[in-house]
């Protein structure tokens, strides 16, 4: 099952998503990148209906980039989240809605604050300190409730993330083997090795 | 363009912590009913200066009917942006929207262009305080201080001499009133002929505050500045 987690820390947002692509009982690919880089300081982890996910994620990525090119500066995370949410809400009452759940993590370079948003296919949008999608969320959210620290350093944040991933591997029947972890802070986006 | 050079002048000056807009009213007289602007809601509309959004104020010069149409379009554009992005429309984006509309009228349809020049004074978190000027061709540019309408040439050269990059809000208000008094038709400044607005940042909430002065407030301001010696002190203190 597709699993993604995210949490904020002191001046950064950490996102992790599994890397398996599944078709019925077969793992088709084990190194998929499910975290799109929408802009220099905006990351989006997606999960849901195969096909819809990539289609919507690329649609969002291209439109965010268009805004940036047209208006010389990128959309700030709160505004980008609102735009994405509206796209999902409009799709919901159309002939064929997108069935995609998202975790949006970004760093606002005008106010120097990290932001994390949980979005689902209905167009629900909430700003949260930590979040998760998929069956893995049942385990991760309890752990994050207990161990999350919004002022944690990157190392401390990664330690908490490792706990979540270990718990999912231990207890979930079809747990993913590998995860891709990305972090966004004032210096931009980079991948992290766990 | 001809109509604009005969219209009442609009003057804008950018300062470190705000923008000042002033305009000369051409339509005045004893029979004119000013009660709307005296007690009006946000003071959002006058003859020359309009609030386009909580973070943008605009001054218009040219054909009034065209100006009203553009202001209405701008207000809708600002709300559409708020609807989609949940943020106040950035000033340059608003200027671009209006200019795209104006340019369309010069290229398609066989309709005549809007005979209006606008000065947009606004704030956004990306570039802080900004002042833009757009003309009927749909061209726009950013300014530190500029003027449109009658006598804009003289006003512009006056501004060029007197403007300093680190001018304060009080200094800007003072500069605007001095330049207006030199370029306006009438001998003295008064609330019947002058429209005045400022855009500043609220110190606690850090939100932009647009303030279009009511006639009584304009008179009070002129009284304050007209005291002479005081203005130099405020400029030197900063």
């Amino acid at each position: 099952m597709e699993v993604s987690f995210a949490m904020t820390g002191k001046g950064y947002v950490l996102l992790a998503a599994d890397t398996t692509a599944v078709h019925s009982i077969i793992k088709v690919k084990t190194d998929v990148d499910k975290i799109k880089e929408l802009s220099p300081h905006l990351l989006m982890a997606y999960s849901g209906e195969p096909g819809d996910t990539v289609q919507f994620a690329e649609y969002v990525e291209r439109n965010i980039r268009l805004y940036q090119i047209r208006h010389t500066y990128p959309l700030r995370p709160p505004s980008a989240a609102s735009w994405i949410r509206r796209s999902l809400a409009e799709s919901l009452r159309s002939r064929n809605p997108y069935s995609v759940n998202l975790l949006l993590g970004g760093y606002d370079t005008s106010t120097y604050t990290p932001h994390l948003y949980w979005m689902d296919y209905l167009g629900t949008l909430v700003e949260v300190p930590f979040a998760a999608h998929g069956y893995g969320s049942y385990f991760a959210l309890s752990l994050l409730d207990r161990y999350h620290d919004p002022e944690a350093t990157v190392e401390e944040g990664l330690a908490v993330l490792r706990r979540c991933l270990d718990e999912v591997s231990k207890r979930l029947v079809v747990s993913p083997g590998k995860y891709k972890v990305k972090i966004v802070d004032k210096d931009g986006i980079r991948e992290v090795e766990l | 363009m001809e109509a604009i050079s005969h219209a009442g002048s609009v003057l804008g000056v950018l300062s470190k912590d705000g923008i000042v807009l002033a305009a000369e009213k051409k339509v005045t007289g004893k029979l004119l009913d000013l009660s709307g602007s005296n007690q009006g809601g946000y003071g959002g509309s006058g003859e020359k200066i309009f609030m386009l959004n909580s973070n943008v104020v605009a001054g218009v010069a040219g054909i009034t009917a065209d100006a009203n149409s553009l202001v209405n379009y701008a207000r809708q554009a600002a709300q559409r942006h708020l609807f989609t992005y949940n943020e106040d429309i950035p000033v340059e984006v608003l200027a671009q929207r209006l200019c795209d509309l104006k340019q369309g009228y010069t290229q398609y349809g066989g309709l005549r262009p809007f005979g209006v020049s606008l000065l947009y004074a606004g704030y956004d978190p990306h570039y802080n305080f900004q002042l833009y000027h757009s003309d009927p061709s749909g061209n726009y540019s950013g300014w530190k201080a500029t003027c449109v309408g009658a006598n804009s040439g003289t006003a512009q050269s006056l501004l060029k001499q007197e403007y300093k990059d680190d001018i304060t809000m009080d200094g800007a208000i003072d500069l605007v009133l001095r330049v207006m008094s030199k370029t306006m038709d009438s001998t003295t400044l008064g609330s019947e002929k002058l429209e005045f607005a400022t855009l500043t940042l609220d110190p606690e909430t850090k939100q932009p505050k647009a303030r279009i002065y009511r006639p009584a407030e304009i008179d009070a301001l002129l009284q304050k500045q007209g005291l002479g010696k005081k203005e130099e002190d405020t400029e030197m203190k900063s």
Side-chain angles (χ1 to χ4, degrees):
Chain A
M1 231 291 88
E2 294 196 309
V3 150
S4 44
F5 311 111
M7 69 185 81
T8 55
K10 194 165 176 56
Y12 68 87
V13 185
L14 207 53
L15 275 96
D18 74 292
T19 58
T20 41
V22 166
H23 184 68
S24 131
I25 56 168
I26 297 180
K27 282 189 198 173
V28 174
K29 192 169 150 87
T30 47
D31 57 354
V32 182
D33 185 359
K34 298 183 189 175
I35 306 180
K36 272 236 178 282
E37 300 174 18
L38 305 179
S39 87
H41 296 273
L42 208 54
L43 278 177
M44 184 173 79
Y46 53 84
S47 54
E49 187 85 45
D52 275 0
T53 47
V54 177
Q55 183 80 341
F56 185 74
E58 285 183 353
Y59 171 76
V60 169
E61 180 194 35
R62 310 292 146 82
N63 271 285
I64 303 279
R65 210 189 281 171
L66 178 63
Y67 187 99
Q68 193 174 323
I69 294 172
R70 267 191 186 146
H71 303 118
T72 58
Y73 53 80
L75 267 176
R76 296 176 302 128
S79 323
S82 291
W83 187 85
I84 298 172
R85 188 212 80 80
R86 186 154 296 284
S87 305
L88 281 169
E90 279 167 357
S91 133
L92 184 65
R93 290 181 192 273
S94 71
R95 202 178 49 79
N96 189 15
Y98 282 116
S99 201
V100 186
N101 302 312
L102 303 167
L103 287 175
L104 186 73
Y107 188 79
D108 189 345
T109 45
S110 349
T111 57
Y112 309 107
T113 46
H115 294 269
L116 177 62
Y117 299 91
W118 184 95
M119 256 184 277
D120 74 0
Y121 69 101
L122 298 170
T124 312
L125 171 70
V126 271
E127 181 165 6
V128 285
F130 55 85
H133 272 303
Y135 287 128
S137 66
Y138 296 121
F139 310 103
L141 288 175
S142 326
L143 277 168
L144 287 164
D145 267 332
R146 170 75 180 81
Y147 293 114
H148 178 254
D149 176 11
E151 295 295 307
T153 63
V154 181
E155 290 74 33
E156 289 166 356
L158 284 171
V160 175
L161 184 66
R162 240 174 253 118
R163 265 189 178 215
C164 297
L165 301 186
D166 290 343
E167 192 65 23
V168 171
S169 311
K170 187 170 162 194
R171 291 295 182 182
L172 194 59
V173 166
V174 275
S175 67
K178 264 181 3 144
Y179 292 83
K180 200 170 251 302
V181 183
K182 291 192 184 170
I183 184 170
V184 58
D185 58 16
K186 63 174 173 26
D187 300 321
I189 296 171
R190 61 182 192 284
E191 206 177 312
V192 178
E193 284 300 323
L194 258 190
Chain B
M1 302 299 284
E2 267 298 305
I4 298 165
S5 52
H6 292 179
S9 33
V10 183
L11 177 58
V13 171
L14 195 68
S15 84
K16 275 192 316 198
D17 27 51
I19 314 182
V20 184
L21 266 186
E24 177 194 358
K25 285 198 270 203
K26 284 281 184 174
V27 181
T28 53
K30 274 203 305 193
L31 292 176
L32 194 66
D33 181 10
L34 291 168
S35 56
S37 50
N38 270 332
Q39 297 111 31
Y42 296 99
S45 299
E47 182 200 311
K48 306 278 292 177
I49 296 185
F50 300 87
M51 177 161 83
L52 301 183
N53 195 24
S54 46
N55 64 322
V56 184
V57 182
V60 305
I63 301 177
T64 313
D66 289 1
N68 286 337
S69 169
L70 283 177
V71 165
N72 190 41
Y73 181 85
R75 286 170 171 167
Q76 281 182 323
Q79 291 308 308
R80 254 180 273 130
H81 185 99
L82 185 65
F83 180 72
T84 314
Y85 298 100
N86 204 28
E87 63 165 13
D88 278 337
I89 189 167
V91 196
E92 185 164 1
V93 173
L94 182 58
Q96 274 179 345
R97 292 267 175 283
L98 268 180
C99 287
D100 287 343
L101 177 73
K102 291 206 252 185
Q103 192 276 339
Y105 276 71
T106 67
Q107 196 174 2
Y108 312 115
L111 302 159
R112 70 162 175 80
F114 290 96
V116 194
S117 260
L118 293 113
L119 281 190
Y120 313 80
Y123 172 85
D124 62 55
H126 301 97
Y127 292 120
N128 297 309
F129 292 104
Q130 300 145 71
L131 181 65
Y132 293 97
H133 161 234
S134 74
D135 63 18
S137 67
N139 209 5
Y140 76 91
S141 41
W143 294 84
K144 294 182 192 168
T146 189
C147 179
V148 290
N151 302 318
S152 55
T154 22
Q156 194 79 9
S157 36
L158 271 170
L159 286 172
K160 226 198 300 195
Q161 290 173 335
E162 308 258 351
Y163 183 81
K164 304 263 180 311
D165 273 335
D166 53 357
I167 197 169
T168 62
M169 212 33 204
D170 287 333
I173 293 175
D174 177 61
L175 175 60
V176 161
L177 290 172
R178 271 188 292 130
V179 175
M180 280 306 271
S181 64
K182 292 214 177 82
T183 59
M184 268 168 70
D185 281 343
S186 41
T187 43
T188 52
L189 293 178
S191 60
E192 332 81 50
K193 291 237 110 192
L194 187 67
E195 263 187 49
F196 198 80
T198 56
L199 187 80
T200 47
L201 215 55
D202 186 293
E204 298 120 36
T205 66
K206 299 277 178 268
Q207 291 303 311
K209 213 161 57 161
R211 183 176 166 204
I212 301 184
Y213 283 51
R214 302 216 168 91
E217 295 170 327
I218 299 179
D219 281 324
L221 177 69
L222 288 171
Q223 278 277 42
K224 201 178 78 149
Q225 301 290 56
L227 283 172
K229 301 285 189 306
K230 268 235 176 102
E231 13 183 69
E232 269 141 42
D233 283 340
T234 23
E235 280 216 24
M236 285 188 65
K237 239 189 268 171
S238 49

